[in-house]
Amino acid sequence: SRPQVGPTQCVGPDYRSPSQKPIATVSTEVKYDNVVVLSQTPQLIALLTKIRDKETDRADFIFYSNRIIRLLVEEGLNHLPVVEHTVTTPVGRTYAGLMFQGKICGVSIMRAGEAMEQGLRDCCRSVRIGKILIQRDEETSMPKLFYDKLPEDIADRWVLLLDPMFATGGSAIMAVDVLKSRGVPEERILFLNLIASPEGIQNFATKFPKLRVVTAFVDQGLDEKNYIIPGLGDFGDRFYTM
Ligand code: PRP
Ligand code: URA
């Protein structure tokens, strides 16, 4: 029998009938307009299955995490403002298109958030990146701020805040408080995240209703140690040291 671990859905290409599609656990639905959950495609579910598997070694964990990070960055960039931009093609015709408007920067919540920096650089060449070192206390799960170094003109930029794991939400809330204290308006912050808990989403979305969250998956909840379940364990350890 299949383990029941949250909402399930038939996942597969549209040309297959539901009976031909395998059933997989998909993200819990969220009711907040400012929370965007990536489309639960067969690719995304397969990538998440790889990084959740405790048998996946570090090289594969990095490889498959990077693929999900790339999807998150591409979706995050869709939430930046664009303006009309018309170009002339080599055959002398015009194409009425768009281009990005505004300055951006990334801010990673160290250590695990640094794993998302390369994905952002791959899409936005020479993007400025700030750092905030916040660590969760292993006993109490309370976040502690140790250090931050941010671009001087961060108040004029759109900020892509990076952290793969969103458990109680304490670390992300602390990071947003730092950004707001430097003059970044809430509506110019996009929080990119791989796996969120419903508790973290609720804490965050009610505290910062204008800030947008882009996540790959909202999981079932938290365990007694405030780890996300089913989750993937400690992201930082699996990406950097295990
Ligand atoms: C993890 C994770 C988040 C935080 C999430 O970092 O990367 O920053 O925990 O938990 P929260 O939502 O309950 O605050 P951790 O402090 O374990 O440090 P690490 O990045 O060094 O692994
Ligand atoms: N940090 C992680 O890396 N994983 C969790 O499940 C919670 C916090």
Side-chain angles (χ1 to χ4, degrees):
S1 69
R2 290 178 61 83
Q4 283 302 303
V5 284
T8 54
Q9 196 174 291
C10 301
V11 182
D14 287 346
Y15 63 81
R16 292 264 166 119
S17 68
S19 65
Q20 291 175 310
K21 293 183 193 176
I23 295 169
T25 310
V26 292
S27 174
T28 299
E29 281 194 25
V30 288
K31 55 179 188 231
Y32 301 101
D33 290 342
N34 59 331
V35 178
V36 177
V37 182
L38 291 188
S39 180
Q40 302 293 290
T41 61
Q43 275 293 307
L44 179 64
I45 300 293
L47 297 173
L48 282 163
T49 307
K50 274 283 186 192
I51 65 169
R52 287 178 187 279
D53 185 350
K54 68 182 173 62
E55 303 299 335
T56 296
D57 66 19
R58 200 168 74 88
D60 276 350
F61 186 83
I62 293 170
F63 179 80
Y64 291 106
S65 298
N66 283 340
R67 286 192 54 197
I68 301 172
I69 290 164
R70 180 65 181 250
L71 296 175
L72 284 167
V73 171
E74 297 283 6
E75 176 55 28
L77 295 175
N78 279 330
H79 296 265
L80 299 178
V82 282
V83 289
E84 291 177 5
H85 183 61
T86 298
V87 294
T88 306
T89 72
V91 292
R93 300 300 171 103
T94 55
Y95 172 74
L98 298 172
M99 71 177 181
F100 294 116
Q101 191 194 42
K103 296 191 290 184
I104 68 161
C105 72
V107 171
S108 59
I109 304 179
M110 294 160 72
R111 157 190 68 159
E114 290 180 294
M116 301 174 73
E117 293 177 4
Q118 190 56 47
L120 178 59
R121 284 204 187 90
D122 289 344
C123 297
C124 308
R125 243 178 324 161
S126 69
V127 61
R128 284 174 172 72
I129 294 186
K131 312 254 184 184
I132 303 180
L133 175 55
I134 293 172
Q135 294 281 285
R136 244 179 37 151
D137 182 293
E138 291 201 358
E139 298 301 318
T140 64
S141 303
M142 294 304 289
K144 188 157 182 236
L145 174 65
F146 288 92
Y147 162 92
D148 69 83
K149 199 83 183 170
L150 302 168
E152 274 183 10
D153 61 350
I154 194 162
D156 302 326
R157 293 179 179 273
W158 284 78
V159 177
L160 293 130
L161 181 63
L162 311 172
D163 194 335
M165 303 306 279
F166 189 19
T168 63
S171 305
I173 288 172
M174 188 171 267
V176 173
D177 284 338
V178 171
L179 296 175
K180 288 178 76 171
S181 75
R182 302 301 155 81
V184 183
E186 218 175 284
E187 55 269 34
R188 265 202 266 119
I189 304 172
L190 290 168
F191 178 39
L192 307 187
N193 155 257
L194 269 83
I195 301 186
S197 78
E199 294 89 331
I201 294 267
Q202 190 181 344
N203 289 341
F204 205 69
T206 45
K207 194 163 162 49
F208 305 123
K210 293 188 211 140
L211 187 155
R212 249 158 296 178
V213 178
V214 180
T215 186
F217 205 98
V218 182
D219 248 358
Q220 262 192 294
L222 299 171
D223 70 7
E224 62 289 348
K225 290 171 126 182
N226 285 323
Y227 268 74
I228 301 172
I229 51 171
L232 52 72
D234 189 307
F235 187 98
D237 284 356
R238 295 190 69 188
F239 198 94
Y240 290 114
T241 57
M242 266 172 73

